[in-house]
Amino acid sequence: MNIILLGAPGAGKGTQAEYIVAKYNVPHISTGDIFRKNIKEQTPVGLKAKSFIDQGKLVPDEVVIELIQSRLSEDDCKNGYLLDGFPRTIAQAEALDKITKIEKVVNIDVDLTKLLKRIVGRRVCVACGASYNIETYDKPDCAKCPSQLIQRPDDKEETVRARLEVYQNQTAPLIEYYRAKGVLKSVDGMQTISEVCSRVEKVLEQA
Ligand code: ADP
Ligand code: ZN
């Protein structure tokens, strides 16, 4: 199955993505993760993307589209995949329509006014990428491996404000775009993680 996970920054896409890829055995394609890896390794793509990401802006469409086009042509995508963080603009969605057929778009619907606090409290493991929130886990080290937790540089308050604005202006219109195509499924993302998870499972089972 070819699936897109839609939702504002901090809506919990990454968390839900882990469950979906385990259940459906498809690759998890997160453009944010791909960019962070490229930045760490100082590749040309990473160098291009870094200044945009640090300012809470979107990486230019042509850079992201090229990246996704090459990723989707890899062998492991033959039997489906989960896109997380792509598309983020109408232009990206139109480009995607030219390369593949999307079967389900799951929109994790959240209260935008609650997101700032959620994201600013997020901590991630430098080694395994596991994600926590200081509200429920306020320790310096990861519970899954013996590594340090840090705040992502783009999770600082000023940058988060910019990201939320970008979401409203550029990404939220994708909800209508996919609704019009009849592939959109919305779930309430303001419930507990396991509750959201079972709702996501339910909409993925629906025809
Ligand atoms: P979140 O979902 O928490 O906002 P991501 O990890 O998905 O964060 O993305 C981090 C940053 O990477 C974004 O703020 C943006 O700068 C860049 N990025 C990721 N995906 C895209 C995309 N599809 N188009 C443009 N920029 C992107
Ligand atoms: Zn870890």
Side-chain angles (χ1 to χ4, degrees):
M1 187 155 37
N2 300 340
I3 310 166
I4 293 174
L5 255 187
L6 265 189
K13 296 190 296 291
T15 307
Q16 296 305 323
E18 284 179 35
Y19 292 102
I20 298 173
V21 299
K23 179 154 191 219
Y24 291 91
N25 199 22
V26 289
H28 175 198
I29 303 175
S30 156
T31 42
D33 286 349
I34 296 173
F35 284 133
R36 280 184 288 277
K37 182 163 182 279
N38 277 277
I39 290 171
K40 213 171 174 181
E41 293 169 359
Q42 301 193 320
T43 68
V45 165
L47 293 174
K48 230 185 264 175
K50 188 176 185 315
S51 65
F52 295 100
I53 293 177
D54 285 349
Q55 293 175 68
K57 294 183 180 159
L58 293 183
V59 177
D61 284 338
E62 59 276 16
V63 177
V64 199
I65 290 166
E66 203 184 302
L67 195 98
I68 280 291
Q69 192 151 19
S70 102
R71 181 65 187 87
L72 293 183
S73 71
E74 286 177 35
D75 261 1
D76 63 338
C77 293
K78 287 219 169 73
N79 297 314
Y81 47 80
L82 176 72
L83 287 173
D84 163 8
F86 183 92
R88 256 181 161 90
T89 64
I90 297 282
Q92 290 178 15
E94 287 171 349
L96 186 63
D97 282 339
K98 293 198 183 116
I99 34 182
T100 187
K101 183 166 169 37
I102 296 300
E103 285 144 290
K104 290 252 163 84
V105 178
V106 180
N107 178 43
I108 305 183
D109 190 21
V110 290
D111 178 350
L112 289 180
T113 65
K114 304 255 165 73
L115 288 178
L116 187 70
K117 190 170 165 222
R118 230 202 229 189
I119 306 175
V120 172
R122 174 157 71 182
R123 297 293 179 272
V124 292
C125 174
V126 288
C128 76
S131 153
Y132 303 88
N133 199 289
I134 54 172
E135 289 269 300
T136 49
Y137 185 91
D138 194 8
K139 295 184 185 164
D141 299 306
C142 182
K144 296 180 183 160
C145 74
S147 298
Q148 197 197 356
L149 300 183
I150 56 153
Q151 183 179 49
R152 258 168 54 180
D154 62 338
D155 279 351
K156 302 247 163 24
E157 182 166 338
E158 273 324 291
T159 318
V160 175
R161 286 188 195 282
R163 284 163 59 201
L164 289 171
E165 201 175 307
V166 165
Y167 170 77
Q168 272 184 298
N169 295 333
Q170 306 207 56
T171 309
L174 290 175
I175 297 172
E176 286 313 316
Y177 180 89
Y178 287 115
R179 201 196 308 277
K181 288 182 181 291
V183 290
L184 187 86
K185 307 274 178 187
S186 263
V187 300
D188 177 3
M190 296 309 286
Q191 309 297 322
T192 63
I193 290 177
S194 66
E195 185 55 40
V196 178
C197 187
S198 66
R199 291 176 193 206
V200 169
E201 268 180 23
K202 217 157 95 195
V203 299
L204 287 177
E205 299 295 320
Q206 285 167 5

